[in-house]
Amino acid sequence: MWRVLLLFTILIPGLDGLFNVFDKVRFKPEACMNQGLEGTCVTPQDCSGTWTQTCSQGYGVCCVPMAEVVCTTPEGFPGTCITAKQCIESGGTYPAYTCDNGGGVCCIPKDNVAPAPPAVADVVCATTTVGVSGTCLTSSACAATGGSWAGTCTVTQGVPGICCQPPPSSGDVLLAEREILQDTLVAEDGAILELPFLMSALSAVQERLNPDPECCQSDYTLECTVVDVHSSVLGGQVVILPGNVILQLEGTVGENPNAFHYTGEEGWDAVITLNPKSGTVFAHATNAAGESFTLESCSEGQVWKSIDMDNLDDYETMDLDLDFLEPIGNATFQFSFDEEIHLLKSGIMDDDQIVTYSVKVYYTREFEKTTSDVAGFIDQVIAETNQGYINSKVPLRVEKHCHELATIKEFSNPFIMMDKFTKMKGTAAELRDTADAAALLVNESTACGIGYFNTISTGMTITVTNKLCALGYYSFGHELGHNIGLAHNKAKTTNKVWTF
């Protein structure tokens, strides 16, 4: 289905001179300064040390050797930022916290852990695992129980302590015998020391400061929790989602160094992206049971959502594709029918060459109000779309041309919204702004999305997508598919143009 459409996207004006997100970014390693320490500017994947600042216009990080970085644990103990393996081999210990944005741990030398006052065993605290409570203990008392570091707290009379998470039971998926966790999570005494949680629950005080995030207010949200996100675990071989869902790294999404694809047992599949400029993390995770979860950013912080897929499935049936098979006044005719047939035949002959098309993304003020990191959100839905192409072995990729605030008011009626957006700049060519497609993100709509159908040849490659469905239901890429002549599942509809 896709291969015969590939060369259509090649010949749409506007590709020349654009930066291809799949081109490798190369730059010479140069000296840089990171919080007063000398480092080297490299890619995040090439940094074996730690970093907190970017360089080379945001494409690199100022990497400082971990052995030179002095750190302090949540209990107040001085340590050195090194790898977990180095810390264990040295006989040191460390909490479940990494050093800033790097991949190291704050390692306390074994001789530096001074005796601490007795623990108060009945003080309950919130661990770094969402929904799991622990007991506030000193580090030595926690180690004696076989528990693990999972947050900070106050033991008694102002004495700092750790929130000690109980040791896993025999049936727990976090047991040490899991091979994927052995090298990183088990200390010499058998206790689990470091867990690569992608996020952790807020303290009770923090929760009171973030009572009801606006971006959580949706009829299709089952649960929504403000969380602390630990971006340093991204790119590691293992990340853990709330509910102790263990995911393994499959790789980056294409050649995007800030987009990661993780999978796990029970059909878990997740695309996770990092905005290197803002430090914000976005994610969408699904499983074989049909559950869908998203991690996004709003004004109150980052939130982890559970989407009501049962009702959203009914909502999705309102996804619409508009027939615009003939050029209209607002369209820009791209090529003739004969040229279209020639491209069709060429596409059939070549199904290996990866073709990249561009999209200019607009967003409404209402969308901006509930999305504190618009660029990060767009990066996430672009990455999800590309991972979909990769999963389906489709030699097609999409890249963001740029993003811009729309000048029109948001309407819940998708037909009105589509009409207003189509006419916003006078012509489709102006709306696309040399990109191959124009897409609008809205905060709310009575449909998941709407897009003109099979309009590559006319230039009317225009879509509107609801925020909830764009991130939680793959609707951003879905609507772009309508533009290039893709209909819904054969069980639901018949393609009016193509017989395949």
Side-chain angles (χ1 to χ4, degrees), residues 144-453:
T145 67
S148 58
W149 299 60
T152 58
C153 55
T154 300
V155 176
T156 181
Q157 297 177 349
V159 176
I162 63 169
C163 191
C164 185
Q165 184 167 321
S169 63
S170 59
D172 198 308
V173 294
L174 298 181
L175 277 179
E177 65 251 31
R178 301 251 336 171
E179 293 181 0
I180 60 174
L181 302 179
Q182 282 183 348
D183 293 337
T184 56
L185 302 184
V186 183
E188 53 192 7
D189 61 356
I192 296 177
L193 291 181
E194 179 191 21
L195 297 177
F197 290 108
L198 179 60
M199 64 199 82
S200 58
L202 298 180
S203 67
V205 174
Q206 290 172 310
E207 286 182 346
R208 286 196 293 271
L209 294 176
N210 299 276
D212 190 14
E214 186 170 3
C215 58
C216 288
Q217 298 172 16
S218 168
D219 293 337
Y220 299 94
T221 300
L222 295 175
E223 295 181 5
C224 189
T225 306
V226 181
V227 293
D228 281 329
V229 178
H230 314 301
S231 61
S232 59
V233 305
L234 286 179
Q237 287 303 309
V238 176
V239 298
I240 304 177
L241 300 182
N244 289 341
V245 175
I246 299 175
L247 302 181
Q248 290 181 271
L249 179 67
E250 296 293 332
T252 57
V253 178
E255 296 183 11
N256 183 350
N258 298 308
F260 306 91
H261 181 214
Y262 284 88
T263 61
E265 295 179 359
E266 299 180 353
W268 278 97
D269 192 288
V271 172
I272 308 172
T273 57
L274 168 68
N275 183 340
K277 293 185 178 180
S278 66
T280 306
V281 176
F282 284 83
H284 181 203
T286 58
N287 59 29
E291 295 177 304
S292 180
F293 300 86
T294 63
L295 174 65
E296 62 179 274
S297 177
C298 56
S299 58
E300 295 85 357
Q302 296 220 242
V303 297
W304 177 247
K305 287 184 182 181
S306 173
I307 308 299
D308 184 359
M309 296 302 293
D310 290 337
N311 288 319
L312 192 61
D313 281 338
D314 295 332
Y315 185 54
E316 191 274 336
T317 60
M318 296 184 66
D319 163 77
L320 306 163
D321 55 271
L322 301 179
D323 289 329
F324 267 97
L325 303 182
E326 298 296 329
I328 62 173
N330 192 33
T332 304
F333 194 75
Q334 299 294 330
F335 37 75
S336 67
F337 178 76
D338 289 340
E339 289 175 309
E340 207 171 315
I341 295 301
H342 172 71
L343 292 173
L344 195 62
K345 292 178 179 179
S346 299
I348 293 174
M349 298 297 293
D350 180 7
D351 60 358
D352 294 322
Q353 181 183 3
I354 294 178
V355 178
T356 301
Y357 67 97
S358 60
V359 58
K360 180 168 183 178
V361 183
Y362 295 85
Y363 56 95
T364 62
R365 289 194 180 278
E366 291 83 354
F367 178 92
E368 182 183 40
K369 184 179 178 181
T370 62
T371 313
S372 64
D373 186 355
V374 173
F377 185 99
I378 296 171
D379 289 344
Q380 172 68 24
V381 296
I382 291 283
E384 282 193 57
T385 303
N386 284 330
Q387 188 58 50
Y389 295 150
I390 294 169
N391 291 348
S392 302
K393 296 181 173 56
V394 174
L396 192 66
R397 302 291 184 268
V398 59
E399 66 179 5
K400 182 182 77 171
H401 176 53
C402 61
H403 63 274
E404 180 182 313
L405 178 64
T407 58
I408 51 178
K409 180 182 177 181
E410 187 169 302
F411 292 87
S412 60
N413 184 306
F415 295 100
I416 296 177
M417 195 74 254
M418 188 64 160
D419 180 66
K420 296 290 185 183
F421 180 49
T422 300
K423 298 175 181 176
M424 189 176 77
K425 291 196 173 182
T427 68
E430 289 293 326
L431 193 65
R432 294 195 321 272
D433 191 20
T434 75
D436 300 315
L440 175 67
L441 292 170
V442 299
N443 190 54
E444 291 185 357
S445 173
T446 56
C448 266
I450 186 170
Y452 294 129
F453 182 74

